[in-house]
Short mmCIF file of all heavy atoms in Angstrom, two decimals:
data_model
loop_
_atom_site.label_atom_id
_atom_site.label_comp_id
_atom_site.label_asym_id
_atom_site.label_seq_id
_atom_site.Cartn_x
_atom_site.Cartn_y
_atom_site.Cartn_z
N LEU M 1026 -56.22 -10.15 40.69
CA LEU M 1026 -56.44 -8.99 41.54
C LEU M 1026 -55.34 -7.96 41.31
O LEU M 1026 -54.16 -8.33 41.26
CB LEU M 1026 -56.46 -9.40 43.00
CG LEU M 1026 -57.48 -10.47 43.40
CD1 LEU M 1026 -57.31 -10.86 44.86
CD2 LEU M 1026 -58.90 -9.99 43.16
N LEU M 1033 -46.84 7.91 48.85
CA LEU M 1033 -46.11 8.50 49.98
C LEU M 1033 -46.94 9.64 50.54
O LEU M 1033 -47.29 10.58 49.81
CB LEU M 1033 -44.75 9.02 49.51
CG LEU M 1033 -43.95 9.85 50.50
CD1 LEU M 1033 -43.59 9.03 51.73
CD2 LEU M 1033 -42.69 10.41 49.83
N ARG M 1052 -67.82 -11.26 43.05
CA ARG M 1052 -68.97 -10.93 43.87
C ARG M 1052 -69.34 -12.05 44.83
O ARG M 1052 -70.02 -11.82 45.82
CB ARG M 1052 -70.16 -10.55 43.00
CG ARG M 1052 -70.66 -11.63 42.08
CD ARG M 1052 -71.63 -11.05 41.07
NE ARG M 1052 -70.97 -10.06 40.23
CZ ARG M 1052 -71.60 -9.24 39.39
NH1 ARG M 1052 -72.91 -9.27 39.32
NH2 ARG M 1052 -70.94 -8.38 38.66
N GLY M 1064 -39.08 -6.11 56.94
CA GLY M 1064 -38.52 -6.93 57.99
C GLY M 1064 -39.52 -7.59 58.92
O GLY M 1064 -39.13 -8.18 59.94
N GLU M 1066 -43.41 -9.87 59.49
CA GLU M 1066 -44.31 -10.86 58.92
C GLU M 1066 -45.53 -10.17 58.31
O GLU M 1066 -45.92 -9.08 58.71
CB GLU M 1066 -44.77 -11.83 60.01
CG GLU M 1066 -43.65 -12.64 60.65
CD GLU M 1066 -43.06 -13.64 59.69
OE1 GLU M 1066 -43.85 -14.25 58.94
OE2 GLU M 1066 -41.83 -13.82 59.67
N PHE M 1069 -52.68 -9.42 58.98
CA PHE M 1069 -54.06 -9.14 58.57
C PHE M 1069 -54.41 -7.69 58.87
O PHE M 1069 -54.04 -7.16 59.92
CB PHE M 1069 -55.00 -10.08 59.32
CG PHE M 1069 -56.45 -9.75 59.16
CD1 PHE M 1069 -57.14 -10.11 58.01
CD2 PHE M 1069 -57.14 -9.06 60.15
CE1 PHE M 1069 -58.47 -9.80 57.86
CE2 PHE M 1069 -58.47 -8.75 60.01
CZ PHE M 1069 -59.15 -9.12 58.86
N ILE M 1073 -63.78 -8.32 54.21
CA ILE M 1073 -65.20 -8.03 53.97
C ILE M 1073 -65.84 -9.24 53.33
O ILE M 1073 -65.25 -9.90 52.46
CB ILE M 1073 -65.33 -6.76 53.10
CG1 ILE M 1073 -66.80 -6.34 52.97
CG2 ILE M 1073 -64.69 -6.95 51.73
CD1 ILE M 1073 -66.96 -4.92 52.41
N GLY M 1076 -71.05 -10.22 50.45
CA GLY M 1076 -72.15 -9.26 50.30
C GLY M 1076 -71.83 -7.89 50.87
O GLY M 1076 -72.58 -6.94 50.66
N VAL M 1092 -63.21 -0.70 55.13
CA VAL M 1092 -63.25 -1.52 53.93
C VAL M 1092 -64.67 -1.49 53.38
O VAL M 1092 -65.65 -1.49 54.14
CB VAL M 1092 -62.79 -2.96 54.22
CG1 VAL M 1092 -63.72 -3.67 55.22
CG2 VAL M 1092 -62.64 -3.76 52.94
N GLN M 1104 -60.29 2.45 52.65
CA GLN M 1104 -60.10 3.85 53.01
C GLN M 1104 -59.26 3.91 54.27
O GLN M 1104 -59.65 3.35 55.29
CB GLN M 1104 -61.45 4.54 53.24
CG GLN M 1104 -61.36 5.98 53.67
CD GLN M 1104 -60.80 6.89 52.60
OE1 GLN M 1104 -61.11 6.73 51.42
NE2 GLN M 1104 -59.96 7.84 52.99
N MET M 1105 -58.13 4.58 54.18
CA MET M 1105 -57.20 4.65 55.31
C MET M 1105 -57.08 6.10 55.75
O MET M 1105 -56.59 6.94 54.99
CB MET M 1105 -55.84 4.09 54.92
CG MET M 1105 -55.90 2.68 54.34
SD MET M 1105 -54.28 1.96 54.06
CE MET M 1105 -53.64 3.06 52.80
N PRO M 1110 -46.91 6.41 60.77
CA PRO M 1110 -45.70 5.82 60.18
C PRO M 1110 -45.69 4.29 60.27
O PRO M 1110 -45.19 3.62 59.35
CB PRO M 1110 -44.58 6.45 61.00
CG PRO M 1110 -45.13 7.77 61.40
CD PRO M 1110 -46.59 7.53 61.67
N ILE M 1115 -46.27 -2.81 52.33
CA ILE M 1115 -46.89 -3.19 51.06
C ILE M 1115 -48.24 -3.79 51.42
O ILE M 1115 -48.33 -4.69 52.26
CB ILE M 1115 -46.03 -4.20 50.28
CG1 ILE M 1115 -44.67 -3.60 49.98
CG2 ILE M 1115 -46.75 -4.59 48.99
CD1 ILE M 1115 -43.71 -4.58 49.33
N ARG M 1122 -63.48 -17.67 47.36
CA ARG M 1122 -64.91 -17.89 47.15
C ARG M 1122 -65.52 -18.44 48.43
O ARG M 1122 -64.96 -19.35 49.07
CB ARG M 1122 -65.13 -18.87 46.01
CG ARG M 1122 -66.60 -19.08 45.66
CD ARG M 1122 -66.74 -20.02 44.48
NE ARG M 1122 -68.13 -20.31 44.19
CZ ARG M 1122 -68.92 -19.59 43.40
NH1 ARG M 1122 -68.41 -18.52 42.82
NH2 ARG M 1122 -70.16 -19.93 43.22
N SER M 1135 -56.34 -18.88 54.21
CA SER M 1135 -57.71 -19.11 53.74
C SER M 1135 -57.95 -18.56 52.34
O SER M 1135 -58.94 -18.91 51.71
CB SER M 1135 -58.72 -18.47 54.69
OG SER M 1135 -58.63 -19.02 55.99
N SER M 1148 -44.76 9.13 56.19
CA SER M 1148 -43.64 9.81 56.83
C SER M 1148 -44.11 10.54 58.08
O SER M 1148 -45.25 10.99 58.17
CB SER M 1148 -42.99 10.78 55.85
OG SER M 1148 -43.90 11.81 55.51
N SER M 1149 -43.21 10.67 59.03
CA SER M 1149 -43.57 11.33 60.30
C SER M 1149 -43.35 12.83 60.23
O SER M 1149 -42.78 13.35 59.29
CB SER M 1149 -42.73 10.74 61.43
OG SER M 1149 -41.37 10.89 61.14
#
Side-chain angles (χ1 to χ4, degrees):
L1026 303 175
L1033 171 63
R1052 62 192 62 191
E1066 298 291 319
F1069 170 79
I1073 187 166
V1092 63
Q1104 178 67 39
M1105 306 187 296
I1115 300 174
R1122 184 177 175 88
S1135 299
S1148 64
S1149 57

